[in-house]
Amino acid sequence: MAADSANGRDGKFRAFLQARRMSYVLEVPVEQTVTDIDGRRRVDTLIGRAPAEAWHRVSCGLGVRGQRVYGVGHAAQFR
């Protein structure tokens, strides 16, 4: 499942996906808090902890202002 930040902010939606053991990718704002193995953290704190090799630049095609390039990081969460 992939969803934008409107769904990424919705804790009930994430709980729905997790209860069904579905893999998902959700956009979330940096001030969003999420649960990691050490407790609840802001997303920007977790981003700062990620090693450089966890990040990749990807293009989503041309937009009105040119190429839309995003930094994408990967993190796995297991329960």
Side-chain angles (χ1 to χ4, degrees):
M1 170 64 63
D4 63 10
S5 62
N7 290 309
R9 286 188 202 102
D10 185 349
K12 290 180 183 178
F13 180 65
R14 286 193 316 276
F16 170 86
L17 297 171
Q18 291 170 352
R20 285 154 184 80
R21 301 184 57 79
M22 294 176 68
S23 297
Y24 60 88
V25 175
L26 303 176
E27 178 183 350
V28 295
V30 295
E31 68 273 2
Q32 176 83 29
T33 57
V34 294
T35 303
D36 73 353
I37 58 173
D38 297 324
R40 292 195 61 77
R41 301 273 188 260
R42 280 178 51 124
V43 169
D44 54 357
T45 300
L46 295 174
I47 288 169
R49 293 180 176 179
E53 58 272 8
W55 296 98
H56 306 280
R57 303 290 289 170
V58 295
S59 170
C60 295
L62 286 174
V64 219
R65 291 175 277 180
Q67 195 69 251
R68 295 178 300 158
V69 179
Y70 296 92
V72 178
H74 174 266
Q77 180 180 10
F78 301 97
R79 290 182 186 222

Coordinates of all heavy atoms in Angstrom, one line a residue:
M1 N 0.8 -1.2 0.0 CA 0.0 0.0 0.0 C 0.9 1.2 0.0 O 1.9 1.3 0.7 CB -0.9 0.0 1.3 CG -1.6 1.2 1.5 SD -2.9 1.7 0.3 CE -4.0 0.3 0.4
A2 N 0.6 2.2 -0.8 CA 1.3 3.5 -0.8 C 0.2 4.5 -0.7 O -0.9 4.4 -1.3 CB 2.0 3.6 -2.1
A3 N 0.5 5.6 0.1 CA -0.5 6.6 0.3 C 0.3 7.9 0.6 O 1.4 8.0 1.1 CB -1.4 6.3 1.5
D4 N -0.5 9.0 0.4 CA 0.1 10.4 0.6 C 0.0 10.8 2.1 O -0.4 10.0 2.9 CB -0.6 11.4 -0.3 CG -2.1 11.5 0.0 OD1 -2.6 11.0 1.1 OD2 -2.8 12.2 -0.7
S5 N 0.4 12.0 2.4 CA 0.5 12.5 3.8 C -0.9 12.6 4.4 O -1.0 12.5 5.7 CB 1.3 13.8 3.9 OG 0.6 14.8 3.2
A6 N -1.9 12.8 3.7 CA -3.3 12.8 4.3 C -3.6 11.5 5.0 O -4.1 11.5 6.1 CB -4.3 13.2 3.2
N7 N -3.3 10.4 4.3 CA -3.4 9.1 4.9 C -2.3 8.7 5.9 O -2.5 8.0 6.9 CB -3.5 8.0 3.8 CG -4.8 8.1 3.1 OD1 -5.9 8.2 3.6 ND2 -4.7 8.2 1.8
G8 N -1.1 9.2 5.6 CA 0.0 9.0 6.5 C -0.2 9.5 7.9 O 0.3 9.0 8.9
R9 N -0.9 10.6 8.0 CA -1.2 11.2 9.3 C -2.2 10.5 10.1 O -2.4 10.7 11.3 CB -1.7 12.7 9.2 CG -0.6 13.6 8.8 CD -1.2 15.1 8.8 NE -0.4 15.9 8.0 CZ -0.8 16.3 6.8 NH1 -1.9 16.0 6.2 NH2 0.0 17.1 6.1
D10 N -3.0 9.6 9.4 CA -4.1 8.9 10.0 C -3.7 7.7 10.8 O -3.4 6.6 10.2 CB -5.1 8.6 8.9 CG -6.4 8.0 9.5 OD1 -6.5 7.7 10.7 OD2 -7.4 7.9 8.7
G11 N -3.6 7.8 12.1 CA -3.2 6.6 12.9 C -4.1 5.4 12.8 O -3.6 4.3 12.8
K12 N -5.4 5.7 12.6 CA -6.3 4.5 12.4 C -6.0 3.8 11.1 O -6.1 2.6 11.1 CB -7.8 5.0 12.5 CG -8.2 5.5 13.8 CD -9.6 6.0 13.8 CE -10.0 6.5 15.2 NZ -11.4 7.0 15.2
F13 N -5.7 4.5 10.1 CA -5.3 3.9 8.8 C -4.1 3.0 9.0 O -4.0 1.9 8.5 CB -5.1 5.0 7.7 CG -4.8 4.4 6.4 CD1 -5.7 3.6 5.7 CD2 -3.6 4.7 5.8 CE1 -5.4 3.1 4.4 CE2 -3.3 4.2 4.5 CZ -4.2 3.4 3.8
R14 N -3.0 3.6 9.6 CA -1.8 2.8 9.9 C -2.1 1.5 10.7 O -1.7 0.4 10.4 CB -0.8 3.6 10.5 CG -0.1 4.6 9.6 CD 1.2 5.2 10.2 NE 1.1 5.6 11.5 CZ 0.6 6.8 12.0 NH1 0.1 7.7 11.1 NH2 0.6 7.1 13.2
A15 N -3.0 1.7 11.7 CA -3.3 0.6 12.6 C -4.1 -0.5 11.8 O -3.9 -1.7 11.9 CB -4.2 1.0 13.7
F16 N -4.9 -0.1 10.8 CA -5.7 -1.0 10.0 C -4.7 -1.8 9.1 O -4.8 -3.0 9.0 CB -6.6 -0.1 9.0 CG -7.2 -0.9 7.9 CD1 -8.4 -1.6 8.1 CD2 -6.6 -1.0 6.7 CE1 -9.0 -2.3 7.1 CE2 -7.2 -1.7 5.6 CZ -8.4 -2.4 5.9
L17 N -3.7 -1.1 8.5 CA -2.7 -1.9 7.7 C -1.9 -2.8 8.6 O -1.6 -4.0 8.2 CB -1.8 -0.9 7.0 CG -2.5 0.1 6.0 CD1 -1.5 1.1 5.6 CD2 -3.0 -0.7 4.8
Q18 N -1.5 -2.4 9.8 CA -0.6 -3.2 10.6 C -1.4 -4.4 11.1 O -0.8 -5.5 11.2 CB -0.1 -2.4 11.8 CG 0.9 -1.4 11.4 CD 1.3 -0.4 12.5 OE1 0.7 -0.3 13.5 NE2 2.3 0.5 12.2
A19 N -2.7 -4.2 11.5 CA -3.5 -5.3 12.0 C -3.6 -6.4 10.9 O -3.8 -7.6 11.3 CB -4.9 -4.8 12.4
R20 N -3.6 -6.1 9.7 CA -3.7 -7.0 8.6 C -2.3 -7.5 8.1 O -2.2 -8.1 7.1 CB -4.5 -6.4 7.5 CG -6.0 -6.4 7.8 CD -6.8 -5.3 7.2 NE -8.2 -5.3 7.6 CZ -8.6 -4.8 8.8 NH1 -7.7 -4.2 9.6 NH2 -9.8 -4.8 9.1
R21 N -1.3 -7.0 8.8 CA 0.1 -7.4 8.4 C 0.4 -7.0 7.0 O 1.1 -7.8 6.3 CB 0.4 -8.8 8.7 CG 0.2 -9.1 10.2 CD 0.6 -10.5 10.6 NE 2.0 -10.9 10.3 CZ 3.1 -10.6 11.0 NH1 2.9 -9.8 12.1 NH2 4.2 -11.0 10.7
M22 N -0.1 -5.9 6.5 CA 0.2 -5.4 5.2 C 1.4 -4.5 5.1 O 1.6 -3.7 6.0 CB -1.0 -4.6 4.7 CG -2.3 -5.4 4.5 SD -3.7 -4.4 4.0 CE -3.2 -3.9 2.4
S23 N 2.2 -4.7 4.1 CA 3.4 -3.8 3.9 C 2.8 -2.5 3.4 O 1.8 -2.4 2.7 CB 4.3 -4.4 2.9 OG 4.8 -5.6 3.3
Y24 N 3.5 -1.4 3.8 CA 3.0 -0.1 3.4 C 4.1 1.0 3.3 O 5.1 0.8 4.0 CB 1.8 0.4 4.3 CG 2.2 0.6 5.7 CD1 2.7 1.8 6.2 CD2 2.0 -0.4 6.6 CE1 3.1 2.0 7.5 CE2 2.3 -0.3 8.0 CZ 2.9 1.0 8.4 OH 3.2 1.1 9.7
V25 N 3.9 2.0 2.5 CA 4.7 3.1 2.4 C 3.8 4.3 2.5 O 2.9 4.5 1.7 CB 5.5 3.2 1.0 CG1 6.3 4.4 0.9 CG2 6.3 1.9 0.9
L26 N 4.0 5.2 3.5 CA 3.2 6.3 3.7 C 4.0 7.6 3.8 O 5.0 7.6 4.5 CB 2.4 6.2 5.0 CG 1.5 5.0 5.1 CD1 0.8 4.9 6.5 CD2 0.4 4.9 4.0
E27 N 3.6 8.6 3.1 CA 4.2 9.9 3.3 C 3.7 10.5 4.6 O 2.5 10.4 4.9 CB 3.8 10.8 2.1 CG 4.4 12.2 2.2 CD 4.0 13.1 1.1 OE1 3.4 12.7 0.2 OE2 4.2 14.3 1.2
V28 N 4.6 11.1 5.4 CA 4.3 11.7 6.7 C 5.0 13.0 6.8 O 6.2 13.1 6.3 CB 4.5 10.8 7.9 CG1 3.6 9.6 7.9 CG2 6.0 10.4 8.0
P29 N 4.5 14.0 7.5 CA 5.2 15.2 7.7 C 6.3 15.0 8.8 O 6.3 14.0 9.6 CB 4.2 16.2 8.3 CG 3.0 15.3 8.7 CD 3.1 14.0 8.0
V30 N 7.4 15.8 8.7 CA 8.6 15.5 9.6 C 8.2 15.7 11.1 O 8.9 15.1 11.9 CB 9.8 16.5 9.2 CG1 10.3 16.2 7.9 CG2 9.4 17.9 9.4
E31 N 7.2 16.4 11.4 CA 6.8 16.6 12.8 C 5.9 15.4 13.3 O 5.6 15.3 14.5 CB 6.1 17.9 13.1 CG 4.8 18.1 12.5 CD 4.8 18.6 11.1 OE1 5.9 18.8 10.5 OE2 3.7 18.8 10.5
Q32 N 5.6 14.5 12.4 CA 4.8 13.3 12.8 C 5.6 12.5 13.8 O 6.8 12.3 13.7 CB 4.5 12.5 11.6 CG 3.8 11.2 11.8 CD 2.3 11.4 11.9 OE1 1.7 12.3 11.3 NE2 1.6 10.6 12.7
T33 N 4.9 11.9 14.8 CA 5.6 10.9 15.7 C 5.2 9.5 15.3 O 4.1 9.3 14.9 CB 5.3 11.2 17.2 OG1 3.9 11.1 17.4 CG2 5.8 12.5 17.7
V34 N 6.2 8.6 15.3 CA 6.0 7.2 15.0 C 6.6 6.4 16.1 O 7.5 6.9 16.8 CB 6.5 6.8 13.6 CG1 5.7 7.6 12.5 CG2 8.0 7.1 13.5
T35 N 6.2 5.2 16.2 CA 6.8 4.3 17.2 C 8.0 3.5 16.6 O 7.8 2.9 15.5 CB 5.8 3.3 17.7 OG1 4.7 4.0 18.3 CG2 6.4 2.4 18.8
D36 N 9.2 3.6 17.2 CA 10.3 2.7 16.8 C 10.6 1.8 17.9 O 9.9 1.7 18.9 CB 11.5 3.6 16.3 CG 12.2 4.3 17.4 OD1 11.8 4.2 18.6 OD2 13.3 4.9 17.1
I37 N 11.7 1.1 17.8 CA 12.1 0.1 18.9 C 12.4 0.8 20.2 O 12.3 0.1 21.2 CB 13.2 -0.8 18.4 CG1 14.5 0.0 18.1 CG2 12.8 -1.7 17.3 CD1 15.7 -0.9 17.8
D38 N 12.7 2.1 20.2 CA 13.0 2.7 21.5 C 11.9 3.6 22.0 O 12.0 4.3 23.0 CB 14.2 3.7 21.3 CG 15.5 2.9 20.9 OD1 15.7 1.8 21.4 OD2 16.3 3.4 20.1
G39 N 10.7 3.5 21.4 CA 9.6 4.3 21.9 C 9.1 5.2 20.7 O 9.3 5.0 19.6
R40 N 8.4 6.3 21.1 CA 7.8 7.2 20.1 C 8.9 8.3 19.8 O 9.5 8.9 20.7 CB 6.6 7.9 20.6 CG 5.5 6.8 20.7 CD 4.1 7.4 20.9 NE 3.6 8.2 19.8 CZ 3.2 7.8 18.6 NH1 3.2 6.5 18.3 NH2 2.7 8.6 17.7
R41 N 9.0 8.6 18.5 CA 10.0 9.6 18.0 C 9.4 10.4 16.9 O 8.6 9.9 16.1 CB 11.2 8.9 17.4 CG 12.0 8.0 18.3 CD 13.0 8.8 19.1 NE 13.8 7.9 19.9 CZ 13.6 7.6 21.2 NH1 12.7 8.2 21.8 NH2 14.4 6.8 21.8
R42 N 9.9 11.6 16.8 CA 9.5 12.4 15.6 C 10.2 11.9 14.4 O 11.3 11.4 14.5 CB 9.9 13.9 15.8 CG 8.9 14.7 16.7 CD 9.4 16.1 16.9 NE 9.8 16.8 15.7 CZ 9.3 17.9 15.3 NH1 8.4 18.5 16.1 NH2 9.7 18.5 14.2
V43 N 9.6 12.0 13.2 CA 10.1 11.5 12.0 C 11.5 12.2 11.7 O 12.4 11.5 11.3 CB 9.1 11.6 10.8 CG1 9.8 11.4 9.5 CG2 7.9 10.7 11.0
D44 N 11.6 13.5 11.9 CA 12.8 14.2 11.6 C 14.0 13.7 12.5 O 15.1 13.6 12.1 CB 12.7 15.7 11.7 CG 12.1 16.2 13.0 OD1 11.8 15.4 13.9 OD2 12.0 17.5 13.1
T45 N 13.7 13.2 13.7 CA 14.7 12.6 14.6 C 15.2 11.3 14.0 O 16.4 11.0 13.9 CB 14.2 12.4 16.0 OG1 13.8 13.6 16.5 CG2 15.2 11.7 16.9
L46 N 14.3 10.5 13.5 CA 14.6 9.2 12.9 C 15.4 9.4 11.6 O 16.4 8.7 11.3 CB 13.4 8.4 12.6 CG 12.6 7.9 13.9 CD1 11.4 7.2 13.5 CD2 13.5 7.0 14.7
I47 N 15.0 10.4 10.8 CA 15.7 10.7 9.6 C 17.2 11.1 9.9 O 18.1 10.6 9.2 CB 15.0 11.9 8.8 CG1 13.7 11.4 8.2 CG2 15.9 12.5 7.7 CD1 12.8 12.5 7.7
G48 N 17.4 11.8 10.9 CA 18.7 12.2 11.3 C 19.6 11.1 11.7 O 20.8 11.1 11.6
R49 N 19.0 10.0 12.2 CA 19.8 8.8 12.6 C 20.1 7.9 11.5 O 20.9 7.0 11.6 CB 19.0 8.0 13.6 CG 18.7 8.7 14.9 CD 17.9 7.8 15.8 NE 17.8 8.3 17.1 CZ 17.1 7.7 18.1 NH1 16.5 6.6 17.8 NH2 17.0 8.3 19.3
A50 N 19.4 8.0 10.4 CA 19.6 7.1 9.2 C 21.0 7.3 8.6 O 21.4 8.4 8.4 CB 18.5 7.3 8.2
P51 N 21.7 6.2 8.3 CA 23.0 6.3 7.6 C 22.8 6.8 6.2 O 21.7 6.6 5.6 CB 23.5 4.9 7.6 CG 22.3 4.0 7.8 CD 21.3 4.8 8.5
A52 N 23.8 7.4 5.6 CA 23.8 7.9 4.2 C 23.3 6.9 3.2 O 22.6 7.2 2.3 CB 25.1 8.5 3.9
E53 N 23.8 5.6 3.4 CA 23.4 4.6 2.4 C 22.0 4.2 2.5 O 21.5 3.4 1.6 CB 24.3 3.4 2.6 CG 24.3 2.7 3.9 CD 25.3 3.3 4.9 OE1 26.0 4.3 4.6 OE2 25.5 2.7 6.0
A54 N 21.2 4.6 3.4 CA 19.8 4.3 3.5 C 19.0 5.2 2.5 O 17.8 4.9 2.3 CB 19.2 4.5 4.9
W55 N 19.6 6.3 2.0 CA 18.9 7.2 1.2 C 19.2 7.1 -0.3 O 20.3 6.8 -0.7 CB 19.3 8.7 1.6 CG 18.8 8.9 3.0 CD1 19.6 8.8 4.1 CD2 17.5 9.2 3.4 NE1 18.8 9.0 5.2 CE2 17.5 9.3 4.8 CE3 16.3 9.4 2.8 CZ2 16.4 9.6 5.6 CZ3 15.2 9.7 3.5 CH2 15.2 9.8 4.9
H56 N 18.2 7.3 -1.1 CA 18.3 7.3 -2.6 C 17.5 8.5 -3.2 O 16.5 8.9 -2.6 CB 17.7 6.0 -3.1 CG 18.3 4.8 -2.5 ND1 19.5 4.2 -2.9 CD2 17.9 4.0 -1.5 CE1 19.8 3.2 -2.1 NE2 18.8 3.0 -1.3
R57 N 18.0 9.0 -4.3 CA 17.3 10.0 -5.0 C 16.5 9.4 -6.1 O 17.0 8.6 -6.8 CB 18.3 11.1 -5.6 CG 19.2 11.7 -4.6 CD 18.5 12.7 -3.7 NE 18.1 13.9 -4.4 CZ 17.4 14.8 -3.9 NH1 16.9 14.7 -2.6 NH2 17.0 15.9 -4.5
V58 N 15.2 9.7 -6.2 CA 14.4 9.1 -7.2 C 13.6 10.2 -7.9 O 13.2 11.2 -7.3 CB 13.4 8.0 -6.6 CG1 14.2 6.8 -6.1 CG2 12.5 8.6 -5.6
S59 N 13.3 10.0 -9.2 CA 12.6 10.9 -9.9 C 11.1 10.4 -10.1 O 10.9 9.2 -10.3 CB 13.2 11.1 -11.3 OG 12.3 11.9 -12.1
C60 N 10.2 11.3 -10.0 CA 8.8 11.0 -10.2 C 8.3 11.7 -11.5 O 7.1 11.9 -11.7 CB 8.0 11.5 -9.0 SG 8.4 10.6 -7.5
G61 N 9.3 12.0 -12.3 CA 8.9 12.6 -13.6 C 8.9 14.1 -13.6 O 9.2 14.7 -12.7
L62 N 8.5 14.6 -14.8 CA 8.5 16.1 -14.9 C 7.2 16.7 -14.2 O 6.2 16.1 -14.3 CB 8.5 16.5 -16.4 CG 9.8 16.3 -17.1 CD1 9.6 16.6 -18.6 CD2 10.8 17.2 -16.5
G63 N 7.4 17.8 -13.6 CA 6.4 18.6 -13.0 C 6.3 20.0 -13.7 O 7.1 20.2 -14.6
V64 N 5.5 20.8 -13.2 CA 5.4 22.2 -13.8 C 6.7 22.9 -13.6 O 7.1 23.7 -14.5 CB 4.3 23.0 -13.1 CG1 3.6 23.8 -14.0 CG2 3.4 22.2 -12.3
R65 N 7.5 22.6 -12.6 CA 8.7 23.3 -12.3 C 9.9 22.5 -12.6 O 11.0 22.7 -12.1 CB 8.8 23.8 -10.9 CG 7.8 24.9 -10.6 CD 7.8 25.2 -9.1 NE 6.9 24.3 -8.4 CZ 6.6 24.3 -7.2 NH1 7.2 25.1 -6.4 NH2 5.8 23.4 -6.6
G66 N 9.8 21.5 -13.5 CA 10.9 20.6 -13.9 C 10.8 19.3 -13.2 O 9.8 18.8 -12.7
Q67 N 11.9 18.6 -13.2 CA 12.0 17.2 -12.7 C 11.6 17.2 -11.2 O 12.1 18.0 -10.4 CB 13.5 16.7 -12.9 CG 13.6 15.3 -12.7 CD 13.0 14.5 -13.8 OE1 12.0 13.8 -13.6 NE2 13.6 14.5 -15.0
R68 N 10.8 16.3 -10.8 CA 10.4 16.1 -9.4 C 11.3 15.0 -8.8 O 11.1 13.8 -9.1 CB 9.0 15.7 -9.3 CG 8.0 16.8 -9.8 CD 6.6 16.4 -9.7 NE 6.4 15.2 -10.5 CZ 5.4 14.3 -10.4 NH1 4.5 14.5 -9.5 NH2 5.3 13.3 -11.2
V69 N 12.3 15.4 -8.1 CA 13.3 14.5 -7.5 C 13.1 14.5 -6.0 O 13.0 15.6 -5.3 CB 14.7 14.8 -7.9 CG1 15.7 13.9 -7.2 CG2 14.9 14.8 -9.4
Y70 N 13.0 13.3 -5.4 CA 12.8 13.2 -3.9 C 13.9 12.3 -3.3 O 14.4 11.4 -3.9 CB 11.4 12.5 -3.6 CG 10.3 13.4 -4.1 CD1 9.7 13.2 -5.4 CD2 9.7 14.3 -3.3 CE1 8.7 13.9 -5.8 CE2 8.7 15.1 -3.7 CZ 8.1 14.9 -5.0 OH 7.1 15.7 -5.4
G71 N 14.2 12.6 -2.1 CA 15.1 11.8 -1.3 C 14.2 10.7 -0.6 O 13.2 11.0 0.1
V72 N 14.5 9.5 -0.8 CA 13.7 8.4 -0.3 C 14.6 7.5 0.6 O 15.7 7.1 0.2 CB 13.1 7.5 -1.4 CG1 12.3 6.3 -0.9 CG2 12.2 8.3 -2.3
G73 N 14.1 7.3 1.8 CA 14.8 6.5 2.8 C 14.0 5.2 3.0 O 12.8 5.1 2.9
H74 N 14.7 4.2 3.5 CA 14.1 2.9 3.8 C 14.3 2.5 5.2 O 15.5 2.6 5.7 CB 14.6 1.8 2.8 CG 14.1 0.5 3.2 ND1 14.8 -0.4 4.0 CD2 13.0 -0.2 2.8 CE1 14.1 -1.5 4.1 NE2 13.0 -1.4 3.4
A75 N 13.3 2.1 5.9 CA 13.4 1.6 7.2 C 12.5 0.5 7.4 O 11.3 0.5 6.9 CB 13.1 2.7 8.3
A76 N 12.9 -0.6 8.0 CA 12.0 -1.7 8.3 C 11.6 -1.8 9.7 O 12.4 -1.5 10.6 CB 12.8 -3.0 7.9
Q77 N 10.4 -2.1 10.0 CA 9.9 -2.2 11.3 C 9.3 -3.6 11.5 O 8.5 -4.0 10.7 CB 8.8 -1.2 11.6 CG 8.3 -1.2 13.0 CD 7.2 -0.2 13.3 OE1 6.8 0.5 12.4 NE2 6.8 -0.1 14.5
F78 N 9.8 -4.3 12.5 CA 9.3 -5.7 12.7 C 8.7 -5.7 14.1 O 9.2 -5.1 15.1 CB 10.5 -6.7 12.6 CG 11.1 -6.7 11.3 CD1 12.3 -6.0 11.0 CD2 10.5 -7.4 10.2 CE1 12.9 -6.0 9.8 CE2 11.1 -7.4 9.0 CZ 12.3 -6.7 8.8
R79 N 7.7 -6.5 14.3 CA 7.1 -6.7 15.6 C 7.0 -8.2 15.9 O 7.0 -9.0 15.1 CB 5.6 -6.2 15.6 CG 5.6 -4.7 15.5 CD 4.2 -4.2 15.6 NE 4.3 -2.7 15.4 CZ 3.6 -1.9 16.0 NH1 2.8 -2.3 16.9 NH2 3.7 -0.6 15.8

